[in-house]
């Protein structure tokens, strides 16, 4: 597929471990042409997100993709980061060589708007971090919902517990005001007029079905034709990957930290691939089943701030503003992830 035939994709990430896996998936996909990356403060501070994005572009041979720096923090509250989950630099135990990347001379919000205007009606937006910069972009360009072909958001939890508070998911929890603004403005922009253009929203209720295990990671190394050593919860903490392939090595070092975090949380030696699933859906929405609903975010609850609430039955009398992911076949996703990222990793050394 030529670049001109591929889907133009704009990725807004708070590169962390699963964001990195999502970017690798997009770079490995012939049906995706990544036209820009927005660095959003979240898992780690925004400048570390920029550094991680430049390091991944260098590793994956995609240094021509423009990277924009987002806001220092959320719209109206202090930034909270998650080095406990993603590691001190956001990529687990992986350390990428420093890259002298040059940021765009416009910020991430402007980058959203520029990309949408350059690809009117064709751009696929993917937001897998806090929605700070997407909200700022919609303030600059209220027509953004009409300019995008598709928007996929990884965020929230619907009829499901949170991962940051008992009821709040990380991306929404970091900037609840931004999430509320995006859902409400998008609903007003489209409402019933073009339900097909409502954002796809993938919450933990869906993405936690994409649980990567050491054996799945082993399948990825094999698909890359790379040697590796199977990971185990019995390994010494911080054991570094011996994979011969440089991308597999980085992904294994990143994932080991993520496996250890989930194990310590009592969820098993595994890792939920929230963002890579969202990236796969951005390229192929048919991977998931959806239910239409009106989504809003609790902003004032003492115990429930940052909770995403879905009105499935029109009780609020408001237009639907989201297609919420409710069902996925994890094996179909992992088969596709491995079938794309494995050979891509191999191509980096051939
Ligand atoms: O709750 C999961 C989300 O929060 C993912 O996007 C992960 O990268 C973190 O940002
Ligand atoms: Ca993320």
């Amino acid at each position: 597929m030529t670049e001109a035939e591929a889907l133009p994709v704009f990725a807004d990430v708070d590169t962390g471990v699963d964001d990195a896996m999502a970017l690798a998936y997009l770079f490995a996909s012939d049906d995706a042409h990544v036209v820009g990356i927005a660095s959003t403060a979240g898992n780690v501070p925004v400048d570390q997100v920029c550094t991680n994005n430049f390091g991944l572009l260098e590793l994956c041979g995609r240094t021509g993709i423009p990277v924009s720096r987002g806001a220092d923090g959320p719209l109206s509250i202090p930034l909270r980061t998650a080095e406990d989950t993603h590691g001190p630099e956001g990529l687990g135990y992986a350390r990428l060589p420093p890259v002298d990347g040059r940021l765009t001379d416009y910020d991430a919000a402007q980058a959203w708007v520029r990309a949408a205007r350059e690809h009117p009606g064709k751009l696929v937006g993917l937001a897998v971090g806090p929605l700070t910069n997407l909200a700022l972009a919609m303030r600059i360009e209220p027509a953004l919902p009409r300019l995008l072909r598709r928007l996929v958001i990884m965020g929230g939890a619907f009829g499901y517990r949170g991962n940051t508070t008992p009821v709040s998911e990380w991306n929404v929890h970091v900037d609840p005001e931004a999430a509320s603004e995006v859902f409400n403005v998008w609903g007003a922009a489209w409402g019933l007029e073009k339900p097909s253009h409502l954002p796809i929203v993938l919450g933990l209720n869906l993405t936690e079905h994409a649980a990567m295990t050491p054996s799945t990671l082993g399948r990825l190394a094999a698909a890359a034709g790379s040697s590796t050593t199977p990971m185990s919860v019995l390994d010494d903490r911080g054991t570094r990957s011996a994979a011969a392939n440089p991308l597999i090595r980085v992904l294994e070092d990143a994932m080991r930290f993520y496996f250890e975090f989930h194990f310590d949380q009592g969820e098993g030696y595994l890792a939920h691939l929230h963002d890579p699933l969202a990236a796969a859906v951005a390229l192929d929405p048919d991977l998931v089943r959806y239910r239409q609903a009106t989504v809003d975010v609790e902003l004032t609850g003492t115990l429930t701030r940052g909770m995403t609430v879905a009105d499935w039955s029109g009780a609020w009398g408001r237009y639907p503003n989201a297609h919420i992911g409710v069902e996925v076949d994890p094996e179909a996703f992992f088969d596709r992830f491995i079938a794309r990222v494995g050979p891509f990793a191999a191509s980096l050394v051939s």
Side-chain angles (χ1 to χ4, degrees), residues 95-111:
R95 296 293 177 269
L96 293 173
V99 172
D100 185 20
R102 186 172 178 281
L103 290 167
T104 58
D105 55 11
Y106 44 85
D107 68 14
Q110 291 286 354

Side-chain angles (χ1 to χ4, degrees), residues 192 244 329:
L192 227 48
D329 172 359

Side-chain angles (χ1 to χ4, degrees), residues 32-84:
H33 170 210
V34 181
V35 297
I37 296 175
S39 304
T40 289
N43 290 323
V44 288
V46 65
D47 289 322
Q48 185 64 58
V49 176
C50 294
T51 298
N52 293 345
N53 289 335
F54 282 125
L56 285 164
L57 291 176
E58 178 73 23
L59 177 67
C60 295
R62 291 290 189 278
T63 51
I65 297 174
V67 177
S68 303
R69 184 184 188 279
D72 287 328
L75 295 183
S76 57
I77 57 176
L79 175 63
R80 171 179 175 181
T81 53
E83 288 83 353
D84 63 327

Side-chain angles (χ1 to χ4, degrees), residues 160-184:
Y160 197 80
R161 57 130 179 82
N163 61 358
T164 308
T165 76
V167 295
S168 183
E169 176 277 328
W170 172 260
N171 289 335
V172 173
H173 180 78
V174 168
D175 197 342
E177 280 69 28
S180 176
E181 193 166 314
V182 167
F183 289 131
N184 283 288

Side-chain angles (χ1 to χ4, degrees), residues 12-16 18-19 43 86 128-130 154 170-171 274-275:
D12 189 323
V13 291
D14 62 331
T15 308
D18 60 329
D19 306 73
N43 290 323
H86 293 266
V128 292
M154 191 281 133
W170 172 260
N171 289 335
H274 311 283
D275 298 349

Side-chain angles (χ1 to χ4, degrees), residues 315-327:
W316 294 338
R318 291 161 50 182
Y319 281 133
N321 59 4
H323 295 295
I324 297 175
V326 294
E327 194 176 315

